[in-house]
Amino acid sequence: VITLVLGNTVMDYSTSLRGPSAQHGVLSPHMNTPANSQGILIGDKVYSEVFLAIDSSIIPEESLSSTPSMLDGLDHETETNLRILGCELIQSAGILLRLPQVAMATGQVLFQRFFYSKSFIKHSFEIFAMACVNLASKIEESPRRVRDVINVFHHLKQGKGKKITPLVLDQNYINTKNQVIKAERRVLKELGFCVHVKHPHKIIVMYLQVLECEKNQMLVQTAWNYMNDALRTNVFVRFEPETIACACIHLAARVLQIPLPSKPHWYLVFGATKEDIREICISTMKLYSREKPNSEQLEKQVEKRKVALEEARLKAKGQNPSGTPALAAIGGFSPASKPSSPREVKIEEKSPNSKLVKESENRQLFPKSPLNGQSESSRNSNKRRRSRSRSRSNSRERGRERDYVKHKHDRSHHWDHRERDRDRPHDQGRSKHQSRSHSGRRHRR
């Protein structure tokens, strides 16, 4: 017998691998296999079949004490407020979508289970609340469109007393819709596609019938209300549904002062213990003394912790928050290595003997240089000669430019004269021809 965990799910899965030498007990009472059937050789043993059976959906205590959100640095109080706020959003959205109470309860239980395997820091509680509503509506055979779910959450986010603006179908809406679809797939993966939830709604009615109190409508309604409020706590992932039903009936009877059998206690017949009943009652009653969680403050705390985690991750990789490499993390890294530090260079420049030291070093390095023996006057004369030669070359270039412009002007003038001369004989020939024609006409006349 081994335990198989699919997709890091928080639920317990058990398998029975049976072979010729295996025991004849099967975990599921409805599964029977022949003892001498052909099997599969795994290692040195032969196994007939693999059975998957869900024992329970109870989260172990070690997972409750150290959740993924706590490991990411989120305190317990903030995580509890986020769970309460997410479940309240699912309940309110279910009412506006006209979902049955069973679907809303399923969505809240899926939300609680998912965030015991994933962190609030790395996953948006609002997006996954939408995904749980959408998934629960399908599970309970009351499907709703993703667009309707997003529209309802948009309406709830605006709050009361504010101007209600409709949801705009822009690129932001498309991105949100894709995120909800991906979040739904992520929930299915993390829960190992095991989304069955056993609710204590019918169990409450059945237990009250056993106690002969089913006709007391006030007791039935109060126990039902306590059970719906307990969905915002983690009791549905810690205790069996039968125990939760007993606790809700016990709490409602104590509040309404209705006596129930206590010697021995009536809930012992149904397998519940006094410690479990007390724990469930305390967790439920704490809800009514807590302040209503503020979504904006919770989102700021989550964002602040997310930024701190990102900075720590980049620092571990040796990078700055902007993504550039950190100079302190890389040993001996500098754009241009210098023989000395800036402080030493400044001290050398300020010292009076630094110039003498530099001159002596230059003489040692360049002993045959002609510039070392020259005086200041010779250097100045050389500068004057260079300036004169530069001025002469500049004047020559200017003269050449003038000659070129003048020559170009003369050539253009010459070509204009040639064109005029070409046109003149043609005009003269035409005038002579015209005079001859006129004289001929006169002679004929």
Side-chain angles (χ1 to χ4, degrees), residues 26-305:
V26 184
L27 290 177
S28 177
H30 303 289
M31 298 179 181
N32 296 315
T33 56
N36 54 359
S37 61
Q38 290 184 352
I40 303 170
L41 180 64
I42 301 176
D44 56 347
K45 295 182 180 180
V46 178
Y47 299 95
S48 59
E49 294 181 18
V50 178
F51 297 129
L52 291 177
I54 303 171
D55 287 342
S56 66
S57 58
I58 304 303
I59 298 175
E61 289 295 330
E62 54 269 15
S63 299
L64 293 172
S65 58
S66 60
T67 61
S69 300
M70 292 180 184
L71 295 177
D72 287 340
L74 196 67
D75 58 295
H76 178 71
E77 189 69 17
T78 304
E79 182 181 0
T80 304
N81 288 330
L82 285 169
R83 290 181 182 276
I84 294 172
L85 182 61
C87 291
E88 286 180 352
L89 284 175
I90 292 172
Q91 182 73 24
S92 302
I95 293 171
L96 293 177
L97 290 168
R98 297 182 180 179
L99 288 172
Q101 180 59 37
V102 178
M104 291 183 269
T106 301
Q108 295 178 60
V109 174
L110 295 179
F111 182 83
Q112 293 278 359
R113 287 182 185 174
F114 175 79
F115 279 106
Y116 273 111
S117 61
K118 292 297 177 182
S119 173
F120 281 101
I121 304 295
K122 300 176 182 177
H123 301 84
S124 173
F125 78 97
E126 187 178 3
I127 295 295
F128 278 88
M130 297 182 197
C132 289
V133 170
N134 193 35
L135 181 58
S137 66
K138 299 175 185 177
I139 295 169
E140 303 300 335
E141 299 181 358
S142 301
R144 298 292 186 269
R145 295 187 302 174
V146 181
R147 176 178 174 179
D148 296 337
V149 175
I150 297 173
N151 200 1
V152 165
F153 272 81
H154 175 74
H155 175 76
L156 291 172
K157 194 173 182 179
Q158 296 180 16
K160 297 180 181 179
K162 297 181 181 178
K163 185 179 179 181
I164 303 299
T165 57
L167 180 65
V168 181
L169 302 182
D170 55 357
Q171 187 62 38
N172 187 21
Y173 162 76
I174 296 172
N175 295 337
T176 305
K177 183 178 180 181
N178 293 333
Q179 289 177 4
V180 172
I181 294 171
K182 290 180 180 178
E184 184 180 355
R185 296 174 184 170
R186 190 64 181 267
V187 171
L188 289 171
K189 173 185 172 294
E190 292 300 326
L191 300 183
F193 285 83
C194 184
V195 292
H196 173 71
V197 181
K198 186 178 179 182
H199 296 291
H201 294 75
K202 296 180 180 179
I203 302 175
I204 287 178
V205 178
M206 183 180 66
Y207 286 176
L208 288 172
Q209 288 176 352
V210 173
L211 294 170
E212 297 180 355
C213 297
E214 74 276 6
K215 294 182 181 180
N216 192 338
Q217 295 295 327
M218 184 62 69
L219 179 60
V220 175
Q221 188 64 49
T222 306
W224 189 283
N225 293 339
Y226 281 135
M227 184 200 61
N228 289 332
D229 292 340
L231 288 166
R232 290 180 281 174
T233 66
N234 59 358
V235 298
F236 276 78
V237 295
R238 294 174 58 192
F239 303 99
E240 298 287 347
E242 292 81 6
T243 307
I244 298 172
C246 293
C248 292
I249 295 172
H250 177 75
L251 182 60
R254 291 290 297 271
V255 170
L256 297 175
Q257 296 181 357
I258 298 174
L260 292 176
S262 59
K263 294 182 180 180
H265 290 288
W266 63 272
Y267 47 78
L268 297 176
V269 179
F270 303 108
T273 61
K274 187 176 181 180
E275 291 77 13
D276 293 345
I277 297 295
R278 184 173 179 274
E279 184 68 25
I280 295 171
C281 292
I282 292 173
S283 300
T284 306
M285 294 303 293
K286 280 183 178 179
L287 288 172
Y288 308 112
S289 60
R290 297 178 65 93
E291 295 182 359
K292 188 175 181 179
N294 191 344
S295 60
E296 295 180 358
Q297 293 180 0
L298 292 175
E299 288 176 358
K300 287 180 181 178
Q301 292 180 7
V302 171
E303 191 65 28
K304 184 178 179 180
R305 191 58 203 161

Side-chain angles (χ1 to χ4, degrees), residues 219-408:
L219 179 60
V220 175
Q221 188 64 49
T222 306
W224 189 283
N225 293 339
Y226 281 135
M227 184 200 61
N228 289 332
D229 292 340
L231 288 166
R232 290 180 281 174
T233 66
N234 59 358
V235 298
F236 276 78
V237 295
R238 294 174 58 192
F239 303 99
E240 298 287 347
E242 292 81 6
T243 307
I244 298 172
C246 293
C248 292
I249 295 172
H250 177 75
L251 182 60
R254 291 290 297 271
V255 170
L256 297 175
Q257 296 181 357
I258 298 174
L260 292 176
S262 59
K263 294 182 180 180
H265 290 288
W266 63 272
Y267 47 78
L268 297 176
V269 179
F270 303 108
T273 61
K274 187 176 181 180
E275 291 77 13
D276 293 345
I277 297 295
R278 184 173 179 274
E279 184 68 25
I280 295 171
C281 292
I282 292 173
S283 300
T284 306
M285 294 303 293
K286 280 183 178 179
L287 288 172
Y288 308 112
S289 60
R290 297 178 65 93
E291 295 182 359
K292 188 175 181 179
N294 191 344
S295 60
E296 295 180 358
Q297 293 180 0
L298 292 175
E299 288 176 358
K300 287 180 181 178
Q301 292 180 7
V302 171
E303 191 65 28
K304 184 178 179 180
R305 191 58 203 161
K306 188 184 297 184
V307 171
L309 282 176
E310 186 67 18
E311 290 179 357
R313 185 181 66 83
L314 292 174
K315 189 176 180 181
K317 287 186 176 181
Q319 295 180 353
N320 291 324
S322 60
T324 58
L327 301 180
I330 304 173
F333 175 81
S334 62
S337 58
K338 297 180 181 180
S340 60
S341 63
R343 291 182 179 179
E344 295 176 359
V345 172
K346 289 181 180 178
I347 292 169
E348 289 179 0
E349 289 178 356
K350 290 181 180 179
S351 62
N353 298 327
S354 60
K355 293 182 180 179
L356 298 174
V357 172
K358 288 181 181 178
E359 289 179 359
S360 62
E361 288 178 355
N362 291 332
R363 289 172 185 173
Q364 291 177 1
L365 290 173
F366 308 103
K368 296 182 180 181
S369 174
L371 296 176
N372 292 333
Q374 288 182 355
S375 62
E376 292 292 332
S377 59
S378 61
R379 291 179 184 175
N380 294 331
S381 62
N382 290 333
K383 290 181 181 179
R384 290 172 186 170
R385 290 173 186 172
R386 290 172 186 169
S387 62
R388 289 174 186 172
S389 62
R390 288 174 185 170
S391 61
R392 289 174 185 173
S393 62
N394 292 333
S395 61
R396 288 174 186 172
E397 290 179 356
R398 291 172 186 170
R400 289 174 186 172
E401 289 178 356
R402 290 173 186 170
D403 296 340
Y404 175 73
V405 171
K406 188 176 181 182
H407 178 67
K408 190 174 182 182

